[in-house]
Amino acid sequence: VERLVALSRHNEIVKEAERRVQQAKEKMDSTYRLAYHIMAPVHWMNDPNGLIQWNGEYHVFYQFHPDSPKWGPMHWGHVKSKDFVHWERAPIALAPSEWYDEGGCFSGSAVNDHGVLTLIYTGNVWLNEEQTELKQYQCLATSKDGIHFEKDPANPVLSEPPFDCQGHIRDPKVWKRGEDWYMVLGTREGNNGKVVLYKSKDLRHWEYVNILAQSDGSLGYMWECPDVFRLNGKDILLFSPQGIEPVGDRFQNLHQTGYLVGTLDEETGKLTHGAFEELDKGFDFYAAQTFEDERGRRILFGWMDMWESPMPTQEHGWAGALTIPRLLELTDDEKLLMKPVPELQLLREEHTHLESISVKQHEATYTVPVEGDRLELLVRFSLTDFRGNAFGVKVRCSSDGSEETIFRYDTGDSVVTFDRNRSGRGEGGIRRAVLDGSKTDLITFHLFIDRSSVELFVNDGRLVMTGRIYPSETSQGIELFTEGGDATVFSVDAWKLKDIW
Ligand code: FRU
């Protein structure tokens, strides 16, 4: 009886929240709404959660506040797709409804437990009115149809942290190796971020194993959203440390998302690893999560925003989006590559192909005869006969020259720059990163442009830079430029992309 009462209480809360969402949608200003990225139907979203392919379909959940364009009591929003391109909205999957999650259903993951779609999330409870003190519980919710979820009667399945972490222990990521379930959680001790490892036979009883990895004092005060997976014979810990101090061009964002590569000993629970590396060198990338699909591919979504950055669309009644899905690969020199999943080609509409374009430095720019605010661009520069210092591409250019978003490559130091100082509204700034790895004569800039975002993939995912930009709707031009010498741009391919929403 208790179980049925809890279930109908949750269903009722979800139904009411959905009704408010429908109402709020009507008042939303859609100027900057993205055409092919995952967003909440209205109001606020942050982290991707519960990524899984289940019965053939891709499920993506996300941190959702159905009642305001600002962060608040967290629900889990839900979309699903058969191809990573056409997304269907499902009702809210989780809403705060129990004593152990009354302050929000925080981030977590999903597994297939003998055919049952099982979500593992953090129940957040505020201990004071000012929301400065909290306690966090790990919880389960299950579904047989992949749409409606029931919180597990065994909740919370984990209540006490292994050491004093000021209440901060969250974002369970669960996986199975052999007969055992493993779970990592993000936490802190004093001002050092840590990831802890747990083990279970049934997802309901968890045994503490060890601190899997931790900050040596230079890697942030809190580690959020840990994820552990194997690629190319190595174990990778992906996580989002908060508050690493900038070092030169590195760690320029307020918070980071990056990875450690090494070997995980499940018995001792220790990861032996190399140095921390930021995964995306742009402005807006955080709380990324991965999953393995039925074809054995490791796929990632990130939150395409950053805590505490100004978000101009809040005035429009919404905020937050996910990146495009990215395929992960680990190179032999232990670098994690991110590539757009090939399914995104289904978005392509009109195609333009240009070859051997000569860009003269005295003409300053070459205008590509394609315009758009939702485009895929593949620009291939040949370095072979180039004697200049830099070349690049400008997107979302206005006709009066006042707005542009610049991506450039400097031949001297192999630095790629993403400059959004003239990108319209929002925060400006520059991000720079060295394109290292194999020397090549060809530099490819693969860009995914949407109404208020740009994602740049350089040389097949060796370097990735993501940023939100808020130009005028009419700023849709594309230009190539060079500095210090003429250039021949090997080729440009441009595709207009569909609006799937
Ligand atoms: C990361 C995060 C998580 C937490 C969630 C709350 O962005 O802070 O650690 O579970 O967001 O919305």
Side-chain angles (χ1 to χ4, degrees), residues 44-49 63-64 71-75 105-108 122 124 136 170-172 186 222-226 240 242 286-287 303 307:
W44 170 274
M45 70 172 282
N46 52 292
D47 314 355
N49 292 156
Q63 291 284 283
F64 179 34
W71 190 84
M74 283 292 110
H75 295 54
C105 300
F106 279 19
S107 285
T122 298
N124 186 67
Q136 300 188 319
R170 57 176 171 267
D171 309 336
M222 170 70 197
W223 287 9
E224 297 190 313
C225 302
S240 295
Q242 294 192 292
Y286 194 70
W303 176 34
W307 288 117

Side-chain angles (χ1 to χ4, degrees), residues 253-383:
N253 294 328
L254 202 48
H255 306 297
Q256 292 70 31
T257 291
Y259 61 98
L260 300 168
V261 181
T263 307
L264 173 62
D265 179 337
E266 275 111 346
E267 285 304 308
T268 64
K270 280 267 159 218
L271 179 77
T272 319
H273 60 79
F276 178 73
E277 177 76 22
E278 250 177 304
L279 184 52
D280 186 299
K281 309 279 170 61
F283 301 88
D284 296 290
F285 183 80
Y286 194 70
Q289 187 179 105
T290 76
F291 73 107
E292 189 183 47
D293 79 350
E294 286 166 3
R295 290 157 58 185
R297 300 182 298 175
R298 182 59 53 177
I299 292 160
L300 170 147
F301 284 89
W303 176 34
M304 193 163 59
D305 280 292
M306 180 56 65
W307 288 117
E308 293 152 78
S309 290
M311 298 178 192
T313 64
Q314 286 178 319
E315 283 169 33
H316 295 182
W318 70 284
L322 301 186
T323 64
I324 55 171
R326 301 171 178 182
L327 191 65
L328 293 185
E329 282 170 24
L330 189 73
T331 62
D332 291 335
D333 61 345
E334 301 190 350
K335 285 217 36 166
L336 205 46
L337 308 186
M338 294 196 282
K339 306 178 177 189
V341 298
E343 283 92 329
L344 293 174
Q345 292 174 15
L346 294 168
L347 287 168
R348 291 176 179 173
E349 288 182 325
E350 204 182 309
H351 178 209
T352 306
H353 175 77
L354 308 163
E355 262 171 48
S356 309
I357 306 160
S358 56
V359 187
K360 307 274 184 237
Q361 61 163 320
H362 64 266
E363 285 168 2
T365 61
Y366 170 92
T367 304
V368 177
V370 175
E371 297 210 321
D373 59 0
R374 45 194 159 94
L375 291 172
E376 179 183 348
L377 261 189
L378 190 61
V379 183
R380 299 160 83 214
F381 296 96
S382 170
L383 288 179

Side-chain angles (χ1 to χ4, degrees), residues 97 118 129 149 213 357 483:
S97 66
T118 304
E129 197 109 328
F149 289 85
I357 306 160
E483 286 170 20

Side-chain angles (χ1 to χ4, degrees), residues 109-179:
S109 54
V111 294
N112 184 340
D113 180 21
H114 304 283
V116 178
L117 178 51
T118 304
L119 308 179
I120 307 97
Y121 69 100
T122 298
N124 186 67
V125 175
W126 299 114
L127 300 179
N128 60 358
E129 197 109 328
E130 307 76 51
Q131 306 196 341
T132 50
E133 283 171 39
L134 50 81
K135 186 162 165 72
Q136 300 188 319
Y137 299 93
Q138 315 317 320
C139 311
L140 299 186
T142 59
S143 173
K144 294 216 164 74
D145 63 3
I147 302 290
H148 303 96
F149 289 85
E150 181 187 357
K151 293 181 184 172
D152 201 90
N155 280 348
V157 295
L158 192 61
S159 300
E160 293 311 321
F163 45 77
D164 179 13
C165 60
Q166 298 143 265
H168 292 274
I169 181 155
R170 57 176 171 267
D171 309 336
K173 180 77 193 321
V174 176
W175 71 96
K176 202 173 196 177
R177 262 190 211 175
E179 286 304 295

Side-chain angles (χ1 to χ4, degrees), residues 44-61:
W44 170 274
M45 70 172 282
N46 52 292
D47 314 355
N49 292 156
L51 305 180
I52 192 169
Q53 187 175 16
W54 186 74
N55 291 344
E57 285 188 308
Y58 296 108
H59 290 259
V60 172
F61 303 84

Side-chain angles (χ1 to χ4, degrees), residues 283 391-397 403-409 416-423 429-431 445 447 454 456 465 469 479 481 483:
F283 301 88
F391 53 71
V393 52
K394 300 180 182 183
V395 304
R396 299 304 305 266
C397 305
E403 277 183 6
E404 60 189 10
T405 298
I406 308 167
F407 298 95
R408 61 183 270 150
Y409 177 81
V416 177
T417 304
F418 176 176
D419 179 346
R420 64 171 188 185
N421 276 327
R422 286 157 36 94
S423 296
I430 283 179
R431 290 293 177 271
F445 277 10
L447 285 149
V454 201
L456 168 70
M465 295 173 124
I469 53 166
E479 292 171 5
F481 66 93
E483 286 170 20

